[in-house]
Amino acid sequence: MYRYDEFDERLVRERVAQFASQVARRIDGSLTDAEFLPLRLKNGLYLQLHSYMLRIAVPYGTLHARQLRQLARIADEYDRGYGHFTTRTNLQFNWSKLKDVPTVLGLLADVEMHCIQTSGNCIRNVTADHFAGVAHDEIEDPRPIAELIRQWSTLHPEFEWLGRKFKIAVSGATHDRAVVKSHDLGVRIVRDPASGETGYEILVGGGLGRTPFAAKVLREFLPREDLLAYLEAVLRVYNLEGRRDNKFKARLKILVHELGIEALRALVEEEFAHIDKARVNADPQEQARIAAYFAPPAYEDLPEVSRKLEDAQIRDPELARFVEHNLFRHKKRGYTAVTISLKPIGGTPGDITSEQMRAVADLAEKYSFDELRVTHAQNLVLPNVKLDDVAEVYEALKAHDLATANIGRITDIISCPGLDYCSLATARSIPIAQVLSHHFADPEKQKQIGEVSIKISGCINACGHHHVGNIGILGLEKKGVESYQITVGGDPSENYALGELLGPGVPAEYVPEAVDKVVSVYLAERQQGETFIETYRRIGLAPFKAAFKEIADVAA
């Protein structure tokens, strides 16, 4: 993991002191609420329905055990004993008191964490593949590049006041687990077929929300030494050409849509040609310094198969189910990455108590070289667990209600906080997720259905990624009543697709039955070995739409 140098430490401490002064002036009335608004947003502080919410950055989803333990302390002493992991791999505390925020920021700084640029019209928290560095299908670990981008973008004087928020994701594997096509800017590590050298494919103009678009390829291959200069060229063009007269049209995706990718490419390449690359691009020694922090840990030389784990699975069918669903193939023989579901049946997706934080921190220290990851699907990962230790890890997780074996299954639901917390929401999300979780709780039913994703948003801002769910649910207000639209066919992977609408929205009580109808079509129509998305692509929208209409007609 990256460790702060003296510059990082000073920058974060100065930011804490600066915001403490701003908070004091807001409390004594020297700053009005309107004046305080842009200042607090720059420090990740929102005013939600019931209280302030503090959003903490987890760059590229990587956490140290001591950091998670500090978050547990903050949850207990300055919140209500829990936190919420988001689809941007941030952690949110939903019940922050304004007077306590400077103290909390100081505690975060003690463990090399902060809230800088987790909000506001700036470059947001950089995300990456949650299996970065351990994935068997990885071309190269993307975390050093993600860290380089974090350093370059943090308080960048030219891009601190963009037209709208700007999101970047980095992927280094053949399978996209970072949802790069949903981002303003995506960086994919690729190998040049001619030279064999690694470089970057640059994608731009992705985004969800009220006008969803898939990112388009801007550069098929960018030499690695030119990364920062090229990103600077993209941001400069967006900053100059993007709309500022209408916040709904201010995202890069709208500029790409209105100009066209060819015209945008011409502008970026012209800007790139004039940039002083030697000034902007990172020094090779600095890149090497950063990369050294992500060197592989001291793995042992282990057998490919763990007889100990195999025997334990024979004795415990629940452990066997956990191994089947929650383990990911590691690049190092004898190891695995263990995904910890934050989706217990009937729970709030992404929520974790302070007690659970401490339990996971203990497991990371004992079994995973002190490290864990946050996924955009609102789960956690222990990235470096010996196969021989999996049964012990499972038992410890089970003792803290963290051993739900549902990763990639229909109850592994992504959900935004919705109208229970968010001032922007128009409908509830969490209760819908909880009801569906109970509805499909039977492990045998989940096994029969197989791999399918449900993603829920409580408004058109799409924080729940509903557009790219195999089954997407969008909650809206309609004539004073919460109404839920359902889409099918979304896919966040390298086969990226936006879901298609089945029909008019239905009231909350009809959502489980509507989802049942969709799943029933899949089960009736699928061929041997097909996943939900594969069946959908083969048979099309019509059968799902016809089945949904039965429910919509009754609801109407």
Side-chain angles (χ1 to χ4, degrees), residues 17 64 77 82 99 112 118 173 186 212-213 237 241 252 325 329 359 383 391 395 414 441 471:
H64 193 283
E77 296 181 11
Y82 71 97
K99 66 180 180 63
E112 303 180 1
T118 58
F213 287 105
V237 169
E241 302 291 339
L252 177 59
H325 298 314
R329 181 181 163 195
E395 289 299 328
I414 288 178
I471 301 171

Side-chain angles (χ1 to χ4, degrees), residues 58-63 89 125-128 130 372-375:
V58 184
Y60 38 92
T62 297
L63 273 174
T89 74
N125 189 45
V126 178
T127 57
H130 46 274
L372 58 137
R373 309 286 177 79
V374 185
T375 82

Side-chain angles (χ1 to χ4, degrees), residues 51 362 392 470 546:
S51 69
D362 290 345
E392 294 175 28
N470 296 164

